[in-house]
Amino acid sequence: MPGRELEAELRVGVSFYTSALCHSVIRLEPYTACAFACSYCYARWYRPEGRPEAKMWLLKPLERLWSGLSARELRLVPFRLSTLSDPLQPLEEEAKLTLAFLKLALRHGIPIVLNTKSTLFARPPWSELLVELASRGLLVLQLSLSTISRTAARVLEPRTPPPAERLERAGELSGEVPLVVRLQPLVPGLFEREREELVEAIVQAGARHVVVEFLRETPEGLQAIYGRLAQLDPALGGAPCAWESYSLAGGRLRRPSLLYRRGALAWLRERLAEHGITLGTCKEGIFELQDGRDCCGFRFLDSEKVAYRLTLYDIWRAGGSLEQALEEAARAGDVLYGPRLAPYPRPIRRALRAHENKLLKALRRPEVLARVCPSLAR
């Protein structure tokens, strides 16, 4: 496969939100679609619907790429499995492509963040491989939840295993595999109804870290989601918050207001801290309510193998100064930016450079900064 095609396959889409805030910008998508078909799924905006198929053709170019990376002994931004389709959806039992990717990662020492709503990870041979990767500091398991309620899950994500079962299976491995719970999406109204039960379940599962990504939807999508929830409980017929535009260009996509997001994060962070669990936010830029620069759980991987992108978090920590942030990054040695990208193979180098260029563009536009990163708003 030509380098440009591999780059396009691996690179998460460049945008002000992602490029300015996200470390997980290198992905692996084993499947063309997702059988779970959750009602809030963001992927429907980026790909045509259809029956999932395995991208078996990815194995050979990926092995060449990873073999080269391993030979150069370079620090790596972890590969994310995956972003637009569940890597352990039912087709995985037959195709076993995610399993093949994980075996390659183990062979070449490649750090992986595995994100799923499935419970397949708890069954051999997947569970055995996850434990082996984690023992070498090469894997973090992210378990996605939108609710802890079985009945609400039937409305929001009817084809997924029940949330309590997901957490129970994850708990069986959490002593050996670092567990991150991803509240994706956090649904206003539903969250308030079950937040105490949700925190308790997260604690019982042995999670070390929680990532929050708030619901983003069109007005029609919000109406449909809350309409279905109202059938379970009339009190869930509307969200207890205002909604604002998410798109910088003034599109129709909506998210909860900044006031609501701050309040939900502050409550959750305080409650999780009581149990020694840290909090990350996904593309929020509310750094004062986030524990450290690492949103996704890179901190649980081998620190000698992992690298981070330069993001707005580094600039916030440096008092808003890009120059100071670059000086600190140069001393740290684990931040990839500018000339440090040169030794990397083209698909990785070009992907990281594209996101870096977008980050620098955001810094030159105060109106973008104000929306993308409230912590840096002037």
Side-chain angles (χ1 to χ4, degrees), residues 55-74:
K55 302 178 184 178
M56 304 304 297
W57 46 267
L58 256 177
L59 277 170
K60 287 186 178 180
L62 187 65
E63 180 160 23
R64 287 196 296 270
L65 176 68
W66 281 1
S67 177
L69 287 169
S70 178
R72 299 185 196 188
E73 297 184 343
L74 297 168

Side-chain angles (χ1 to χ4, degrees), residues 99-143:
L99 187 69
F101 286 165
L102 293 174
K103 288 178 179 179
L104 283 179
L106 182 62
R107 182 185 310 163
H108 296 296
I110 304 297
I112 298 288
V113 174
L114 177 66
N115 179 38
T116 184
K117 285 183 167 66
S118 175
T119 56
L120 189 59
F121 61 82
R123 288 169 41 190
W126 293 271
S127 59
E128 298 162 342
L129 193 50
L130 264 59
V131 168
E132 179 65 19
L133 282 160
S135 73
R136 301 189 188 187
L138 293 174
L139 184 124
V140 168
L141 174 62
Q142 278 192 359
L143 191 72

Side-chain angles (χ1 to χ4, degrees), residues 214-267:
F214 289 93
L215 178 65
R216 298 194 298 272
E217 258 297 352
T218 62
E220 294 82 6
L222 290 173
Q223 185 176 12
I225 286 173
Y226 282 104
R228 296 189 193 106
L229 290 174
Q231 294 176 12
L232 303 177
D233 182 347
L236 293 175
C241 68
W243 295 77
E244 65 181 31
S245 174
Y246 176 78
S247 305
L248 296 172
R252 302 184 69 253
L253 201 58
R254 299 290 184 265
R255 65 176 173 180
S257 69
L258 178 58
L259 179 65
Y260 175 85
R261 299 192 324 267
R262 284 188 184 277
L265 291 172
W267 184 92

Side-chain angles (χ1 to χ4, degrees), residues 16-284:
F16 280 121
Y17 282 107
T18 300
S19 303
L21 298 170
C22 186
H23 291 289
S24 290
V25 296
I26 306 295
R27 69 181 174 203
L28 282 175
E29 298 286 352
Y31 300 104
T32 58
C34 186
F36 288 154
C38 301
S39 63
Y40 49 75
C41 181
Y42 304 147
R44 69 186 189 273
W45 301 321
Y46 303 109
R47 66 167 184 231
E49 294 184 5
R51 183 178 178 180
E53 297 180 1
K55 302 178 184 178
M56 304 304 297
W57 46 267
L58 256 177
L59 277 170
K60 287 186 178 180
L62 187 65
E63 180 160 23
R64 287 196 296 270
L65 176 68
W66 281 1
S67 177
L69 287 169
S70 178
R72 299 185 196 188
E73 297 184 343
L74 297 168
R75 286 181 178 270
L76 297 174
V77 172
F79 284 70
R80 183 173 187 81
L81 257 169
S82 52
T83 61
L84 298 178
S85 62
D86 198 295
L88 298 177
Q89 60 182 288
L91 181 56
E92 171 65 12
E93 294 188 63
E94 174 189 342
K96 294 184 173 60
L97 184 54
T98 294
L99 187 69
F101 286 165
L102 293 174
K103 288 178 179 179
L104 283 179
L106 182 62
R107 182 185 310 163
H108 296 296
I110 304 297
I112 298 288
V113 174
L114 177 66
N115 179 38
T116 184
K117 285 183 167 66
S118 175
T119 56
L120 189 59
F121 61 82
R123 288 169 41 190
W126 293 271
S127 59
E128 298 162 342
L129 193 50
L130 264 59
V131 168
E132 179 65 19
L133 282 160
S135 73
R136 301 189 188 187
L138 293 174
L139 184 124
V140 168
L141 174 62
Q142 278 192 359
L143 191 72
S144 277
L145 300 171
S146 62
T147 176
I148 194 62
S149 164
R150 187 185 187 100
T151 53
R154 287 175 181 161
V155 169
L156 297 172
E157 43 191 42
R159 299 182 189 176
T160 63
E165 183 181 336
R166 280 177 248 168
L167 285 168
E168 185 177 352
R169 297 288 83 79
E172 295 170 0
L173 295 181
S174 62
E176 299 175 277
V177 177
L179 174 62
V180 172
V181 170
R182 188 177 186 90
L183 300 183
Q184 180 188 22
L186 186 152
V187 181
L190 182 58
F191 171 70
E192 283 72 23
R193 168 175 164 166
E194 61 182 27
R195 62 186 188 178
E196 293 288 355
E197 182 185 359
L198 179 63
V199 168
E200 180 61 27
I202 289 170
V203 171
Q204 290 299 316
R208 305 187 196 182
H209 184 66
V210 170
V211 184
V212 174
E213 183 170 0
F214 289 93
L215 178 65
R216 298 194 298 272
E217 258 297 352
T218 62
E220 294 82 6
L222 290 173
Q223 185 176 12
I225 286 173
Y226 282 104
R228 296 189 193 106
L229 290 174
Q231 294 176 12
L232 303 177
D233 182 347
L236 293 175
C241 68
W243 295 77
E244 65 181 31
S245 174
Y246 176 78
S247 305
L248 296 172
R252 302 184 69 253
L253 201 58
R254 299 290 184 265
R255 65 176 173 180
S257 69
L258 178 58
L259 179 65
Y260 175 85
R261 299 192 324 267
R262 284 188 184 277
L265 291 172
W267 184 92
L268 192 55
R269 189 185 191 205
E270 182 178 356
R271 290 290 283 111
L272 292 172
E274 295 172 4
H275 304 280
I277 301 172
T278 52
L279 180 70
T281 65
C282 184
K283 297 188 285 291
E284 284 295 330

Side-chain angles (χ1 to χ4, degrees), residues 281-302:
T281 65
C282 184
K283 297 188 285 291
E284 284 295 330
I286 308 176
F287 296 131
E288 61 273 18
L289 294 175
Q290 175 174 302
D291 295 313
R293 66 177 173 177
D294 162 29
C295 313
C296 285
F298 291 9
R299 67 193 72 181
F300 305 120
L301 297 165
D302 184 346

